[in-house]
Amino acid sequence: MKQQKMFGLILLVVGAVLILSALYIKGEVKKGRQQIAQTEFATGTTRKFLSSQGSNVQRYGDKGLSYIDDKVSEGKTDVHFYEKLAYGMIIVGAIGVIVGIYVLCKKQHEGA
């Protein structure tokens, strides 16, 4: 009986920690998306400016901007990964909390 209650309590705590961690990750993902959007806007504005400056300036500017585009692409990949991770953690955490509560509230069957 005591082991069963301890198991339920551990599941409940681990599930809650997973959910809280996932919420933190989702907040960081939101910040990352905002940074990506700001960077994309800035590079778009820079491209427009460089295109009006002539082909030599535009050629050198495009080299620098292509590096930034690669970094933005990596950032989008990372954001997508962590977003999926957070959703998975929420699902597993919710299952842990539900099973933990069930185990804690389940009545011990006497007999056998």
Side-chain angles (χ1 to χ4, degrees), residues 56-97:
N56 284 339
V57 174
Q58 186 176 1
R59 186 179 328 128
Y60 290 113
D62 284 344
K63 288 180 183 179
L65 291 175
S66 67
Y67 175 77
I68 294 171
D69 289 339
D70 291 343
K71 290 298 179 183
V72 166
S73 179
E74 288 176 20
K76 286 181 178 180
T77 302
D78 289 346
V79 161
H80 183 68
F81 170 78
Y82 284 108
E83 190 172 47
K84 288 188 341 185
L85 177 68
Y87 285 124
M89 289 172 67
I90 288 173
I91 291 169
V92 171
I95 291 170
V97 168

Side-chain angles (χ1 to χ4, degrees), residues 15-87:
V17 168
L18 280 172
I19 291 171
L20 292 174
S21 298
L23 293 175
Y24 173 77
I25 290 171
K26 284 180 71 172
E28 293 299 308
V29 164
K30 184 177 180 181
K31 289 179 191 176
R33 285 190 186 281
Q34 290 171 344
Q35 288 177 341
I36 288 170
Q38 290 172 347
T39 303
E40 287 178 327
F41 176 77
T43 55
T45 303
T46 304
R47 273 195 176 82
K48 287 178 187 174
F49 172 74
L50 291 176
S51 67
S52 68
Q53 299 301 310
S55 62
N56 284 339
V57 174
Q58 186 176 1
R59 186 179 328 128
Y60 290 113
D62 284 344
K63 288 180 183 179
L65 291 175
S66 67
Y67 175 77
I68 294 171
D69 289 339
D70 291 343
K71 290 298 179 183
V72 166
S73 179
E74 288 176 20
K76 286 181 178 180
T77 302
D78 289 346
V79 161
H80 183 68
F81 170 78
Y82 284 108
E83 190 172 47
K84 288 188 341 185
L85 177 68
Y87 285 124

